[in-house]
Amino acid sequence: MIKRIQYCCIYFTIFFCMAETHAQIVWPAFDQTMKPWTRWWWQGSAVDKKNLTTVMEQYREAGLGGLEITPIYGVKGEENLFIPYLSPAWMNMLQHTLQEAKRLQLGIDLANTTGWPFGGPWVKPDDACKNAMIKTYHLLEGEEILEPIQYKQEPFYRSESKRIVDLSTLKMPIAENAGLQAYAFDQVRFGVSLKPNTVMAYSDNGTIIELTQKIDSSGKLIWKAPAGKWKLIALFMGYHGKLVERAAPGGEGDVIDHFSAKALQHYLQKFDNAFLGKNISGIRSFFNDSYEVDDANGQSNWTPDFLVEFKKRRGYEIKNYLPQLFSRDSSELGLRVLTDYRQTISDLLLDNFTQPWQKWAAAKNKMVRNQSHGSPANILDLYAAVDIPETEGTDILRFKFATSAAHVSGKLLASAEAATWLNEHFQSSLGDVKQAVDKYFIGGVNHLFWHGTNYSPQDAAWPGWLFYAAVHLTPANPIWKDFGTVNKYVTRCQSFLQRGKPANDVLYYFPFNDRLAMPGRSLLHHFDGMLGWENTPFYVTGDWLLKNGYGFDFISDSQIKQLRTEKGLLKTGGVNYQTIVLSDVTYLPLATMQSLLDLVKKGATLIFQNKIPSKVPGLYAFEKNEETLQNLIRQLRFVSVKSSNIQMAPWGLGKVLMGKDMAALLAEVNVKRETMTDLSLQFSKRKSALGHYYFIANTTPTSFNGWIPLQAIEKYVFQYDPMSGDAGKAKYRWVNQQLQIYLQLLPGASMIIETSTVAKMGDYFPSYQNIAAPPDTLKGKWHLTFLSGGPTIPVNKILEQPNYWTNFLEEDKLTFSGTAMYSTHFAKPRIAANHYLLHLGEVKQSAEVFLNGKKMGVLLGPVYQLTIPANLLKADNELSIRVTNGMANRIRHLEKTGVVWKKFYNTNFPARLPQNRGADGLFTAIKWNVEASGLLGPVTLQALKELD
């Protein structure tokens, strides 16, 4: 029986290998998650079942894989359609959406709030975000404070509306007032008197006395100063007043206290009640936008249990050090107290908000997606605590905080809010969107969410309902016609990027404690990528690693504790790393150093650039801990390696390296870089069961045509073009035992390379060069036919040569936004070739190309060209090019004719750029020139020959 099983195993192994050997080169199968998703704004939650179904069908047709529902402020004039958030009627719309999503195979995520951050009318003052304020008194012996100890909180509000508001006419909390959509508040503090939370007395001889219990019911302190000079500090816990920004009807109210587990529990109970008896199985994940509580006047920096939590976590009473904390004392004592305060806030945000929220969702069999950046906490730990870390922006090093946490903690997905405020309103092309996407892929993102798509009813007047900060990827935008091309591109990329595991070699330590010990204008630092780190060794080295082709991930102190060593490699999240690097770090927790040296003892390699950390953070027992740290360091016996610039200390089975030259340090550990960055190409890399996947992008304005060295060592190489969908065997060679592949990449183009130990069947991916003859310019008449768009369809034209339609249409037709078709006939080229390069010349914005009725592709720029096989050409050929522009010219027309289309509550359309602000401070296009639109050409055909 055993032999039969063995024979069967051998048979299936041989069969599997044969099947793999004879497999065709094809794209991986796509699933729902590999498609891009979009943030789906429900303005005023004014949705209905008929329109929900219609727009969801449009979204699926455009190639979207899922939707994130985020209700926001409403549209003026549509108040009768508003549905209060989480009401039975609202839940009815959610149920319909989930049913339709299942039918249409669309995923659904749901924000756990309207707008952002978490908050709403059910958040009571006790659970609302808080801030700390102090009053200071100076007393001599025998003196006392005669007036009651209290703090008068000054009334204050901030609003997106232009209304002048008398806060004395409003109720507290703000959620008890009617008409909040019109007020558009994002912060309100009422003029209330606060009682002291704590009163402490500090004498000039070091005596500390707590006086909190000596305050009577009237607020008077029953205490006379003993001998000496005394400073009294009264600490008050204030009402920060941050409200939900961009809140939807029924979602207006206070933001929760993110540092209080009780506040979160009370907050989520509202969802538990709303979901009771409802089928929410169609929700994949809950979502939290970036922290942004402190996108306000003053910081939310306190919580009712802070004093208790601080003592429990830091081992001493912070109230004994209030003078140091609140005076911005930059002495060693002051910085250590400040560090401990900031660390406690970081701990509370993780322990009392992020982790309990994730557990709440998991109990419902849901995931959570979180934007941790901007938080006053170690964002690597916050990202690691959620199921899908999400980033945003344009900086690759910023992205790597979210993607690193995903890699280090073994998560499949790292998402991004993509194309936010990409350009000014209505001025982003799909080509711009594609270039923004490539940055995310280079940074390790593999799950894109567009920012975003507005729900808009079918009968809404053009341009429909719009969000204030977006590329406006909605069906009303003419670029929606070719939006599916970008979605297919993203899907093809993510079909590889969601497979395998990250293939980075270096763990790069995030020196969180160094930043905690840095004084600032405010009590808290907020951590958002590399903001605040500019010109520090941490930034400089990180930027150097990125630009020089080293694959790396950031790692935190707590994540280091999860590492283990195996065969000299550092293992975590199912990924192997060759080394861990600390660059010019000053403060290192003793436990972190002990963990690092334990890893080295078992065979790992540790690199210190410039210096070894010499201090431990915080105040409690720091002298003892620093002595232990120094004792550990003294045990490292460094000797020179190869040159005096690198020092090496053996430690158990591993070694510790120290020096300034990072390239030399990494070479000593045999960390190899991808030298394609020297050719101005950027990349990300993942490891598969059989080899590697590379995403390679040419982000430069010049074409690349040549050989690229790869560090992969697999025998077979395959090439995939995610824009066209073409795939084939790559042209490659081995030079000095290094793999090199041949690539042709236009400006802004990208390619996926797969290396494998297993062969596949298929043709070679084609590469071409021009036949030494000038191209043919297509001459003859061009028929220009306006197909779709508005506000009106211009009359068709016959042109002697291609030209932007904005160069010759009458003034009243320059308003056109939509699609027009340029058609011509041409004879078979005079020079015989197997392939020809069709180059469209200048195009604004996207172009769908047809040859003899066959669709050849959609071109988004910046270069508009494609290859045509000669067998598709006839003696007489018809070329049709459907060019689509954006919304700009039609929006300009609305502005000039005074049509009211900016009719939104709350943020009623701000401009991104100051030159586009009108007298009212809002966006206007009234001063814009007409934006060039159409096909300018020249359109040429170049004979090609295929390279061997």
Side-chain angles (χ1 to χ4, degrees):
M1 183 65 176
I2 294 175
K3 290 183 177 179
R4 289 181 61 188
I5 293 174
Q6 289 175 337
Y7 287 137
C8 287
C9 290
I10 293 170
Y11 171 80
F12 282 117
T13 300
I14 295 172
F15 178 81
F16 175 77
C17 292
M18 291 177 62
E20 284 292 316
T21 303
H22 295 91
Q24 292 289 331
I25 303 171
V26 294
W27 287 89
F30 307 148
D31 63 24
Q32 182 186 81
T33 308
M34 291 171 182
K35 296 179 180 181
W37 291 34
T38 191
R39 184 160 302 168
W40 190 22
W41 289 293
W42 283 11
Q43 286 195 285
S45 295
V47 299
D48 64 74
K49 293 181 178 180
K50 179 179 178 181
N51 278 294
L52 283 170
T53 294
T54 299
V55 298
M56 290 175 74
E57 288 174 345
Q58 292 174 327
Y59 302 158
R60 181 195 62 172
E61 187 65 25
L64 294 175
L67 310 167
E68 172 218 300
I69 301 171
T70 299
I72 55 165
Y73 53 85
V75 179
K76 296 177 181 178
E78 306 293 345
E79 292 83 359
N80 63 315
L81 300 177
F82 291 175
I83 304 175
Y85 182 54
L86 297 182
S87 66
W90 194 93
M91 289 300 302
N92 187 27
M93 292 300 112
L94 177 62
Q95 294 282 274
H96 176 78
T97 300
L98 295 176
Q99 290 168 6
E100 288 297 87
K102 182 178 181 180
R103 177 179 70 87
L104 298 170
Q105 296 183 315
L106 291 169
I108 296 291
D109 284 1
L110 177 65
N112 267 135
T113 186
T114 72
W116 59 88
F118 280 16
W122 62 94
V123 177
K124 304 307 178 187
D126 285 349
D127 290 336
C129 53
K130 308 293 191 300
N131 59 332
M133 293 158 292
I134 63 167
K135 266 190 168 184
T136 303
Y137 305 86
H138 296 276
L139 300 178
L140 298 175
E141 181 179 355
E143 293 182 343
E144 60 181 322
I145 300 173
L146 299 178
E147 73 274 12
I149 296 181
Q150 62 181 10
Y151 190 101
K152 178 69 173 180
Q153 186 169 272
E154 291 298 320
F156 164 82
Y157 73 91
R158 198 172 69 170
S159 168
E160 290 292 325
S161 76
K162 304 299 180 181
R163 297 177 62 172
I164 304 299
V165 181
D166 181 358
L167 291 181
S168 67
T169 65
L170 297 181
K171 302 174 186 176
M172 179 182 175
I174 199 68
E176 293 186 4
N177 298 276
L180 291 176
Q181 285 288 294
Y183 283 109
F185 289 124
D186 64 40
Q187 189 175 13
V188 172
R189 288 184 192 160
F190 289 94
V192 296
S193 293
L194 305 175
K195 294 181 179 180
N197 182 269
T198 302
V199 179
M200 302 294 296
Y202 309 88
S203 77
D204 56 353
N205 65 9
T207 302
I208 301 173
I209 304 174
E210 180 166 2
L211 303 175
T212 311
Q213 301 303 319
K214 296 184 179 295
I215 299 174
D216 67 16
S217 59
S218 68
K220 188 175 187 312
L221 176 64
I222 312 301
W223 185 78
K224 288 185 180 181
K229 295 180 180 180
W230 292 85
K231 175 189 283 188
L232 272 64
I233 293 183
L235 173 66
F236 302 86
M237 185 172 63
Y239 179 82
H240 180 255
K242 176 65 176 178
L243 303 175
V244 179
E245 289 189 47
R246 322 300 182 236
E252 308 100 329
D254 285 300
V255 166
I256 67 166
D257 177 356
H258 282 71
F259 314 129
S260 167
K262 185 185 298 182
L264 178 67
Q265 179 185 359
H266 293 166
Y267 180 77
L268 294 176
Q269 185 63 49
K270 177 73 172 180
F271 292 88
D272 291 334
N273 295 340
F275 295 156
L276 193 63
K278 301 293 192 294
N279 180 2
I280 62 167
S281 60
I283 297 175
R284 178 194 71 159
S285 178
F286 294 109
F287 173 67
N288 177 45
D289 211 325
S290 49
Y291 180 74
E292 295 193 45
V293 180
D294 294 337
D295 181 15
N297 184 338
Q299 294 185 324
S300 173
N301 54 24
W302 208 259
T303 190
D305 294 332
F306 185 81
L307 296 177
V308 174
E309 290 284 358
F310 184 93
K311 184 177 181 181
K312 181 174 69 175
R313 295 166 185 272
R314 305 281 85 85
Y316 66 96
E317 297 276 12
I318 195 173
K319 56 190 176 185
N320 293 337
Y321 298 91
L322 296 183
Q324 289 78 19
L325 179 63
F326 288 101
S327 66
R328 301 179 186 174
D329 183 357
S330 59
S331 68
E332 181 176 20
L333 173 61
L335 293 180
R336 288 186 179 279
V337 171
L338 180 62
T339 294
D340 283 337
Y341 162 78
R342 290 170 171 171
Q343 182 65 62
T344 303
I345 287 289
S346 178
D347 292 346
L348 293 176
L349 187 53
L350 175 65
D351 296 343
N352 289 352
F353 175 76
T354 309
Q355 289 178 335
W357 174 52
Q358 191 277 336
K359 291 176 182 176
W360 172 83
K364 292 176 166 49
N365 199 30
K366 310 298 177 194
M367 296 189 292
V368 294
R369 214 176 86 242
N370 190 53
Q371 295 185 355
S372 300
H373 48 272
S375 301
N378 192 321
I379 57 176
L380 287 177
D381 293 339
L382 298 185
Y383 276 132
V386 300
D387 302 293
I388 306 175
E390 178 162 298
T391 186
E392 62 177 313
T394 59
D395 180 46
I396 294 173
L397 285 176
R398 185 194 203 196
F399 306 157
K400 287 185 77 68
F401 281 87
T403 61
S404 294
H407 297 167
V408 168
S409 57
K411 302 179 193 309
L412 171 64
L413 301 175
S415 62
E417 171 192 304
T420 308
W421 275 126
L422 196 54
N423 295 307
E424 183 58 276
H425 291 290
F426 315 115
Q427 292 190 332
S428 296
S429 69
L430 291 176
D432 297 330
V433 171
K434 191 268 183 189
Q435 300 310 307
V437 163
D438 286 352
K439 276 193 172 184
Y440 287 114
F441 293 154
I442 293 164
V445 169
N446 62 1
H447 187 29
L448 283 183
F449 280 75
W450 300 121
H451 190 274
T453 304
N454 255 75
Y455 167 92
S456 188
Q458 298 300 292
D459 60 358
W462 196 90
W465 299 358
L466 298 175
F467 186 64
Y468 79 93
V471 177
H472 309 301
L473 296 172
T474 64
N477 193 335
I479 66 175
W480 186 268
K481 170 188 170 293
D482 294 327
F483 183 38
T485 298
V486 179
N487 289 331
K488 287 179 182 176
Y489 169 79
V490 171
T491 302
R492 291 182 183 124
C493 289
Q494 292 186 164
S495 72
F496 277 103
L497 297 177
Q498 289 181 16
R499 297 177 186 275
K501 295 182 178 180
N504 294 327
D505 299 317
V506 176
L507 287 168
Y508 186 37
Y509 176 70
F510 176 45
F512 182 65
N513 290 285
D514 279 9
R515 183 76 183 280
L516 292 186
M518 291 174 58
R521 291 179 295 178
S522 303
L523 278 177
L524 294 174
H525 286 315
H526 292 262
F527 294 84
D528 196 347
M530 286 294 183
L531 288 176
W533 294 96
E534 297 86 348
N535 301 318
T536 65
F538 175 61
Y539 174 84
V540 171
T541 298
D543 188 55
W544 182 88
L545 290 169
L546 183 67
K547 290 178 178 177
N548 284 275
Y550 291 97
F552 68 95
D553 286 316
F554 298 126
I555 191 166
S556 72
D557 293 282
S558 65
Q559 291 165 350
I560 285 174
K561 296 176 184 177
Q562 308 303 316
L563 294 173
R564 60 189 179 90
T565 305
E566 186 176 304
K567 297 181 180 179
L569 298 175
L570 294 161
K571 301 179 74 69
T572 178
V575 182
N576 297 333
Y577 295 88
Q578 290 180 254
T579 189
I580 185 167
V581 171
L582 283 74
S583 179
D584 221 341
V585 175
T586 298
Y587 289 93
L588 190 71
L590 176 60
T592 300
M593 178 62 90
Q594 290 169 333
S595 294
L596 289 170
L597 292 181
D598 185 58
L599 293 165
V600 175
K601 188 175 182 180
K602 296 174 183 176
T605 301
L606 170 63
I607 293 175
F608 291 111
Q609 185 183 29
N610 295 329
K611 67 183 182 185
I612 298 178
S614 57
K615 295 184 177 183
V616 298
L619 181 62
Y620 182 75
F622 80 91
E623 298 97 336
K624 177 183 176 182
N625 291 336
E626 280 188 359
E627 182 180 356
T628 304
L629 177 68
Q630 294 300 328
N631 286 336
L632 285 173
I633 294 171
R634 281 191 287 269
Q635 294 178 52
L636 297 173
R637 307 298 183 187
F638 286 98
V639 296
S640 295
V641 178
K642 295 184 180 178
S643 74
S644 59
N645 292 330
I646 299 177
Q647 300 288 311
M648 187 274 287
W651 186 261
L653 299 177
K655 58 187 176 182
V656 180
L657 298 176
M658 183 171 63
K660 293 183 178 181
D661 187 341
M662 183 54 67
L665 288 165
L666 293 175
E668 186 65 26
V669 194
N670 200 32
V671 174
K672 294 182 171 60
R673 69 188 187 96
E674 297 289 352
T675 57
M676 70 178 81
T677 54
D678 298 343
L679 305 172
S680 298
L681 300 178
Q682 294 182 296
F683 74 98
S684 64
K685 181 169 68 171
R686 295 182 71 85
K687 184 172 180 58
S688 72
L690 300 174
H692 290 86
Y693 306 134
Y694 287 82
F695 173 85
I696 301 174
N698 178 12
T699 59
T700 73
T702 58
S703 295
F704 177 84
N705 190 347
W707 291 93
I708 298 174
L710 299 180
Q711 291 301 331
I713 59 173
E714 289 76 36
K715 182 177 180 181
Y716 303 101
V717 189
F718 313 103
Q719 184 172 343
Y720 304 82
D721 183 346
M723 184 56 72
S724 69
D726 294 339
K729 297 177 183 177
K731 294 180 175 67
Y732 65 97
R733 66 188 185 188
W734 294 88
V735 177
N736 296 326
Q737 296 184 328
Q738 183 173 44
L739 176 64
Q740 295 184 353
I741 61 168
Y742 187 81
L743 275 188
Q744 294 180 322
L745 287 173
L746 293 172
S750 55
M751 200 70 66
I752 290 172
I753 300 297
E754 177 189 14
T755 65
S756 177
T757 56
V758 174
K760 296 182 183 180
M761 294 180 63
D763 297 330
Y764 279 93
F765 195 95
S767 52
Y768 304 95
Q769 69 179 33
N770 295 345
I771 291 178
D776 290 346
T777 300
L778 301 194
K779 298 179 180 179
K781 297 188 182 299
W782 288 78
H783 292 261
L784 176 59
T785 307
F786 291 90
L787 301 177
S788 62
T792 59
I793 303 294
V795 176
N796 299 336
K797 300 281 186 180
I798 296 179
L799 308 175
E800 295 300 320
Q801 61 187 24
N803 199 355
Y804 293 141
W805 68 69
T806 47
N807 283 347
F808 57 81
L809 287 182
E810 300 81 2
E811 176 65 28
D812 64 331
K813 301 301 181 186
L814 295 178
T815 63
F816 177 75
S817 291
T819 300
M821 181 170 66
Y822 292 78
S823 299
T824 191
H825 283 259
F826 66 94
K828 195 169 186 177
R830 53 191 172 80
I831 297 177
N834 290 329
H835 293 86
Y836 296 88
L837 181 68
L838 174 67
H839 198 298
L840 303 187
E842 298 295 322
V843 179
K844 302 291 182 180
Q845 292 177 344
S846 58
E848 185 180 21
V849 181
F850 292 83
L851 177 64
N852 297 323
K854 178 182 176 61
K855 181 176 177 178
M856 303 302 297
V858 176
L859 305 177
L860 307 179
V863 180
Y864 295 83
Q865 68 179 44
L866 52 77
T867 303
I868 296 176
N871 60 10
L872 296 182
L873 295 174
K874 306 175 183 178
D876 177 67
N877 300 278
E878 181 183 29
L879 177 66
S880 297
I881 304 167
R882 299 178 183 181
V883 180
T884 302
N885 68 347
M887 304 173 83
N889 291 340
R890 191 169 176 181
I891 290 290
R892 172 180 174 270
H893 169 68
L894 294 183
E895 296 282 283
K896 285 184 172 293
T897 55
V899 174
V900 178
W901 61 274
K902 291 172 285 188
K903 51 186 179 181
F904 311 107
Y905 283 109
N906 203 287
T907 301
N908 193 17
F909 246 73
R912 185 183 185 196
L913 303 175
Q915 62 266 32
N916 297 321
R917 293 182 192 137
D920 58 1
L922 300 179
F923 166 82
T924 180
I926 199 166
K927 295 180 182 179
W928 283 3
N929 295 321
V930 173
E931 191 172 86
S933 303
L935 172 68
L936 182 63
V939 180
T940 62
L941 273 176
Q942 170 71 57
L944 301 174
K945 64 178 180 180
E946 191 166 351
L947 294 175
D948 296 330

